[in-house]
Amino acid sequence: MTGILLDRIGRLWTGVERGVVTDAAVAIVDGAIAWIGDAGADPAADSVACDDRVDCGGGLVTPGLIDAHTHPVYGGSRLAEIAARTAGRPYGASDAETGIGATVTATRATDAAQLRTAVRRRLRGWTAGGATTVETKTGYHLTRDGELGAVALLDELRGGDGLPDLHVTFLAAHAVPPDHTGTPDEHIDASISWLGAAAQQGADACDVFCDEGYFTVAQARRVLSAGQRAGLTTHIHADELAHTGGAQLAAEVGAASADHLLHVTDDDARAMADAGVVATLCPGTALAVGELPDVAALQRHGVTIALGSDHNPGMVGTTDMSLVVCLGVAAFGLSVTEALAAATHGGARALRLDDRGGITEGARADLVWWDAEHEGAFAWAWGLPPRAVWRSGDRIV
Amino acid sequence: MTGILLDRIGRLWTGVERGVVTDAAVAIVDGAIAWIGDAGADPAADSVACDDRVDCGGGLVTPGLIDAHTHPVYGGSRLAEIAARTAGRPYGASDAETGIGATVTATRATDAAQLRTAVRRRLRGWTAGGATTVETKTGYHLTRDGELGAVALLDELRGGDGLPDLHVTFLAAHAVPPDHTGTPDEHIDASISWLGAAAQQGADACDVFCDEGYFTVAQARRVLSAGQRAGLTTHIHADELAHTGGAQLAAEVGAASADHLLHVTDDDARAMADAGVVATLCPGTALAVGELPDVAALQRHGVTIALGSDHNPGMVGTTDMSLVVCLGVAAFGLSVTEALAAATHGGARALRLDDRGGITEGARADLVWWDAEHEGAFAWAWGLPPRAVWRSGDRIV
C-alpha cells in the first residue's frame, strides 16, 4: 500500500504522553502510523516509503476525535418539547408526548430506508467535525426486532464511505417501552434475553439507563452482568438526574465507563478510579440540564475522563466534537490539553479501543489536520473545521 | 422594485409582541416587509405585487439576528495565550505578550490590505450564521490614525456584498496603549479629542472599557459624555472583571447599553431599568471567564437583554449568532423565546436601531429562513445553518 506523508505540521498534538511536537511530519502506511519525524525529513531514510505528500502548511494535527456517547438512531423531532423545557418544563416527564417514549413512538413509525438515510446523514456530521470514532447506541425501538435492527444498521454503516468508525452499543434497557404492559423487571428480562443476538449482530457493548424514573441499580446490575457474560463491553448512564448509585455499580462490576455523572460524589470518584472505570462526561447535556459534574473530584482521584456529545433527539443535536472539546473547557473548566486528551485518549479508554487515541508509531492512523495553527483554537473558535480527516489512513474529509 | 414572497413558512417567529405565526407568508418590497399573511394567500389581493416566490417548505423564519458586541478589527493570533489561560493563567494580565496590548502590537504591524481582507472574511462569518446586523468596535490600534482608519474600514464594508449591516463603534478607550508613556488620563484626553473625527468618518457609537485594570468610572464618564456631545450612541464595558460601577454610570448618563455585567447587582439592574439601559450579555465570554451575570436580577427589574458574541482575538472566536442564542439558553437559563428576543429586539434596542429586530409590516426586511422546523432547534443544534438570509430585502445567503 502507498504511504502518505503529512509534512510541515506546525504543531503535532500527539496525546497525553509525548505532548506537542513542533515542526513535525507523520507517515501513514497500511492504515497505521509508520513514522514520526521532523518536518522536511525524508521517511525513506528510515525505510518508510511514501508516494503521496500532504503539505500541512504549519497547521495543527491531532488524533481523530472520539465521541464516547451518542444516540443517533431515531426518528421524529422533539424541538417543541425542547423549547418548552427551556421555558420551565422539567426533563424526564416520560409521558407519551415527550421524552424517550415520544422518540420511541416516532422511531418505530419511521420507515427503515428513511431511518438508514437519516442515521447515515447524521454520521457524516461527525466526520465533518473531526471525529473518527463514535460510540453509537440503540435504544429508541425497545422491541427485539427493532433493537437488533438498529445494531445491524450501525454495524453495516461503520467505516463506510465518509463515515467514522463506530462502537455499537446495545441499549434496549434505555427506558420502559411506552406500550409496555408488564413490570419494568420484565422489560429488563427481555433486554437481557436479546443480548446474545445483539452480540452476534455486531454489538460491541451494552448500556443501561440507571437513574431516578428509569432503572434501579439492581436492574442495571443484571443488565451489565449479562452483557459481560455475552462478551460485551459495558457502559452505564449513571447518576445523571439523581444520585442513585450508578457510578458505584460501574466500579463494582468493572464497567468500561460510567456516563454523565452529574451527581457523582467524591466516594464514587475514588471507587471509579480504583476499578479503572472511565468517566464519560457530556458537557452539552450538563449545560442543558443545568447541573455540572464534580470534575475536580474525578481529577483528584485520577479517573480517566472521556467526552461525549450525547447527541440525541431530546437534548443535544450537535455532532461536532471540536465544539464538545470547547464545551469541556467552557463548562467543566478543563484545560485545552485535558479536554483534547479526554476526546482522544479518554474516549479510546472508555470504549476499550487500544489501537487509537494518540499519535504514536504503530497506532491506527486516525488523524485530523485542523484549520488552526495552535490547539488553543479549540477553546476560542467554538467549532473548528478540519482541513482533512484520515480514518485508518483513508482520507474521509 | 420587484417584490419577493416568502411562502409556506411553517413557523414565523415575529418577535416579542406577536410571537409565532404558523403557516404564514411574508412579502418584501423595496427592502421592507410589505405584507404578512397566510401561507398560500396572494398578497396581490392586498395590492402587494411579488414577482419572486421562495417556498420555505414549512420551515422556520425569524428576523435577522443582531450581534450587539464584537471586536472584529485585529491582526495576529493569541491561541497560545488562550490555551495557557485554560491551564490556569488569569485573564487581564496586560503585559506586552498577552491581552489587548499583544493584539494592538500585532494589529499595528498588519498591512492595511491584509487587515481589510481578514475583517471582510470575518464579517462573512456573521452572515453565514444568520446575523444581518453586527455591532463592530475599533480598539486595537489605539492611535488617532489607526482608530480612525478602523472606523473608515468598517464604514466602507457595511452592507457590502454578502456582509451584514454594521453599527460602527469607536473604542479608542479600550486600554492604555502598550507604548503609551503618559498617564491613563492623557490617553482618555486623546481618545476624546478623536471622537468628532470618528463621527465624521462614519462611527455610530463610542464605547469605553470601564473595569479593574482598565479605565475608572470617572474616566469612562468623560468618554461617554463627550461621545454624546459628538452625537454618538454610547456603550460601556461594565462590571465584567470586577464590580467597579460601570452599570450605574450607564444609567447615570443614559447609555444605550451596558455590556458584559458579570458582576451586576440588583441595585445596578434597577438603575439600568429606570434609565432604559439595555444589558448586552456575552455568554461565550461569561463561560470563558467562569463568571455568570445575575440574569434573574436583570429580568426581575425588566431590563431589556441583548446578546453579543464578543468575538475578539483573546477570548471568543465564533461569529455564529445561532450558537450564541444556544449559549444564552445553556449558560444563562434563558428560554428559547427570551434568547431569540435578545438576539433580535434586544439587539436593536441596544444599538438604537428602531427599524429592525422584529417581523412587522414596515420593518426592514432582515429575515432568516433556518434549516429547522421549530425555534426549539436553537437550543438543540448548537449552531443552526440558515437556508437563506435577506438583508434589507437583498438575499445575502
Side-chain angles (χ1 to χ4, degrees), chain B residues 104-152:
Chain B
V104 168
T105 303
T107 304
R108 289 177 182 173
T110 304
D111 167 80
Q114 203 181 332
L115 186 63
R116 186 182 186 282
T117 302
V119 174
R120 193 185 168 81
R121 183 176 42 74
R122 283 171 203 141
L123 293 176
R124 279 187 188 273
W126 271 283
T127 309
T132 50
T133 301
V134 179
E135 190 271 2
T136 50
K137 301 178 197 296
T138 71
Y140 289 119
H141 285 85
L142 306 186
T143 60
R144 183 182 195 280
D145 288 353
E147 290 296 309
L148 294 177
V151 169

Side-chain angles (χ1 to χ4, degrees), chain A residues 16-344:
Chain A
V16 281
E17 284 175 22
R18 198 173 164 197
V20 172
V21 181
T22 54
D23 299 318
V26 171
I28 302 172
V29 178
D30 290 338
I33 293 167
W35 175 90
I36 301 172
D38 291 335
D42 186 354
D46 296 314
S47 307
V48 174
C50 292
D51 292 337
D52 288 347
R53 178 177 174 277
V54 176
D55 183 343
C56 295
L60 172 73
V61 170
T62 72
L65 302 184
I66 298 176
D67 190 337
H69 188 124
T70 88
H71 301 257
V73 189
Y74 59 86
S77 162
R78 280 162 52 200
L79 299 178
E81 172 192 341
I82 290 164
R85 190 174 65 238
T86 67
R89 185 190 173 112
Y91 179 68
S94 66
D95 62 73
E97 301 299 310
T98 65
I100 295 170
T103 294
V104 168
T105 304
T107 304
R108 288 177 182 172
T110 304
D111 167 80
Q114 203 180 332
L115 186 63
R116 185 180 186 284
T117 302
V119 174
R120 193 185 168 82
R121 184 175 43 74
R122 282 171 204 143
L123 293 176
R124 279 186 187 274
W126 270 282
T127 308
T132 49
T133 301
V134 179
E135 190 270 3
T136 50
K137 302 178 196 295
T138 72
Y140 289 119
H141 286 87
L142 307 185
T143 60
R144 184 181 195 282
D145 289 354
E147 289 296 310
L148 295 176
V151 169
L153 170 60
L154 293 168
D155 187 53
E156 178 214 332
L157 291 175
R158 74 166 105 202
D161 190 30
L163 305 182
D165 192 21
L166 306 183
H167 171 88
V168 179
T169 300
F170 188 69
L171 181 54
H174 197 189
V176 173
D179 56 346
H180 187 67
T181 53
T183 63
D185 268 315
E186 285 167 349
H187 180 66
I188 290 293
D189 292 339
S191 299
I192 288 172
S193 75
W194 306 334
L195 282 168
Q200 282 191 318
Q201 202 68 258
D204 303 295
C206 72
D207 190 352
V208 53
F209 196 164
C210 176
D211 220 314
E212 207 167 85
Y214 293 86
F215 296 110
T216 65
V217 167
Q219 289 163 339
R221 183 183 287 112
R222 292 207 288 131
V223 172
L224 297 183
S225 302
Q228 289 173 330
R229 286 194 300 275
L232 297 171
T233 300
T234 48
H235 308 294
I236 176 171
H237 280 67
D239 304 308
E240 178 188 0
L241 307 175
H243 187 252
T244 68
Q248 290 286 347
L249 174 63
E252 173 197 320
V253 303
S257 73
D259 298 29
H260 288 300
L261 300 170
L262 302 185
H263 296 270
V264 72
T265 66
D266 192 77
D267 274 354
D268 297 341
R270 183 183 298 110
M272 287 174 64
D274 289 348
V277 178
V278 174
T280 296
L281 305 180
C282 303
T285 308
L287 286 169
V289 169
E291 192 83 54
L292 297 178
D294 188 348
V295 177
L298 296 167
Q299 291 183 313
R300 199 162 50 237
H301 290 289
V303 176
T304 298
I305 293 173
L307 287 174
S309 66
D310 192 23
H311 175 93
N312 75 73
M315 196 68 87
V316 177
T318 192
T319 54
D320 182 350
M321 272 304 286
S322 78
L323 175 64
V324 174
V325 169
C326 185
L327 290 174
V329 174
F332 296 156
L334 299 178
S335 69
V336 168
T337 302
E338 290 168 340
L340 266 179
T344 54

Side-chain angles (χ1 to χ4, degrees), chain B:
Chain B
M1 189 178 168
T2 302
I4 308 163
L5 179 65
L6 278 54
D7 204 359
R8 294 222 304 139
I9 299 167
R11 293 179 69 83
L12 181 70
W13 194 94
T14 63
V16 280
E17 283 175 23
R18 197 172 166 197
V20 172
V21 181
T22 55
D23 299 318
V26 171
I28 301 171
V29 178
D30 290 336
I33 294 168
W35 175 92
I36 301 171
D38 292 334
D42 187 352
D46 295 313
S47 307
V48 175
C50 291
D51 292 336
D52 288 347
R53 178 178 175 276
V54 176
D55 183 343
C56 295
L60 172 73
V61 170
T62 72
L65 302 184
I66 298 175
D67 189 337
H69 188 125
T70 88
H71 301 257
V73 188
Y74 59 87
S77 162
R78 280 164 51 202
L79 299 178
E81 172 192 341
I82 290 164
R85 190 175 63 239
T86 68
R89 185 190 173 111
Y91 179 67
S94 65
D95 62 75
E97 301 299 310
T98 64
I100 294 169
T103 294
V104 168
T105 303
T107 304
R108 289 177 182 173
T110 304
D111 167 80
Q114 203 181 332
L115 186 63
R116 186 182 186 282
T117 302
V119 174
R120 193 185 168 81
R121 183 176 42 74
R122 283 171 203 141
L123 293 176
R124 279 187 188 273
W126 271 283
T127 309
T132 50
T133 301
V134 179
E135 190 271 2
T136 50
K137 301 178 197 296
T138 71
Y140 289 119
H141 285 85
L142 306 186
T143 60
R144 183 182 195 280
D145 288 353
E147 290 296 309
L148 294 177
V151 169
L153 172 60
L154 293 168
D155 187 53
E156 178 213 333
L157 292 174
R158 72 167 107 205
D161 190 31
L163 305 181
D165 192 20
L166 305 184
H167 172 88
V168 178
T169 300
F170 187 68
L171 180 55
H174 197 190
V176 173
D179 56 346
H180 186 67
T181 53
T183 64
D185 268 315
E186 285 167 348
H187 180 66
I188 291 293
D189 291 339
S191 299
I192 288 172
S193 74
W194 307 334
L195 282 168
Q200 282 190 319
Q201 201 69 259
D204 304 296
C206 72
D207 190 352
V208 52
F209 196 164
C210 177
D211 219 315
E212 206 167 84
Y214 293 87
F215 296 109
T216 65
V217 167
Q219 290 164 338
R221 183 183 288 112
R222 292 206 287 131
V223 173
L224 298 183
S225 302
Q228 288 172 331
R229 285 194 300 273
L232 297 170
T233 301
T234 48
H235 308 294
I236 176 171
H237 281 67
D239 303 307
E240 177 188 1
L241 306 174
H243 186 252
T244 68
Q248 291 286 349
L249 175 63
E252 174 196 321
V253 302
S257 72
D259 297 32
H260 287 301
L261 299 171
L262 302 185
H263 297 271
V264 73
T265 66
D266 193 76
D267 274 354
D268 297 340
R270 183 183 299 109
M272 287 174 62
D274 289 348
V277 178
V278 174
T280 296
L281 305 180
C282 304
T285 308
L287 287 168
V289 170
E291 193 81 54
L292 297 177
D294 189 347
V295 177
L298 296 167
Q299 291 182 314
R300 199 162 50 238
H301 290 289
V303 177
T304 298
I305 293 173
L307 287 174
S309 66
D310 192 23
H311 175 92
N312 75 73
M315 196 68 90
V316 176
T318 191
T319 54
D320 182 349
M321 272 304 287
S322 78
L323 175 64
V324 175
V325 169
C326 186
L327 289 173
V329 174
F332 296 156
L334 298 178
S335 70
V336 168
T337 301
E338 289 167 340
L340 267 179
T344 54
H345 171 77
R349 293 305 307 135
L351 308 182
R352 297 291 189 255
L353 297 170
D354 292 333
D355 59 348
R356 65 196 76 178
I359 300 176
T360 54
E361 285 176 23
R364 204 178 129 102
D366 291 344
L367 296 160
V368 183
W369 168 29
W370 299 96
D371 187 15
E373 278 67 53
H374 193 287
E375 64 276 14
F378 282 99
W380 180 74
W382 291 83
L384 199 58
R387 284 181 172 139
V389 178
W390 291 266
R391 183 206 62 207
S392 199
D394 291 331
R395 184 155 176 180
I396 57 173
V397 168

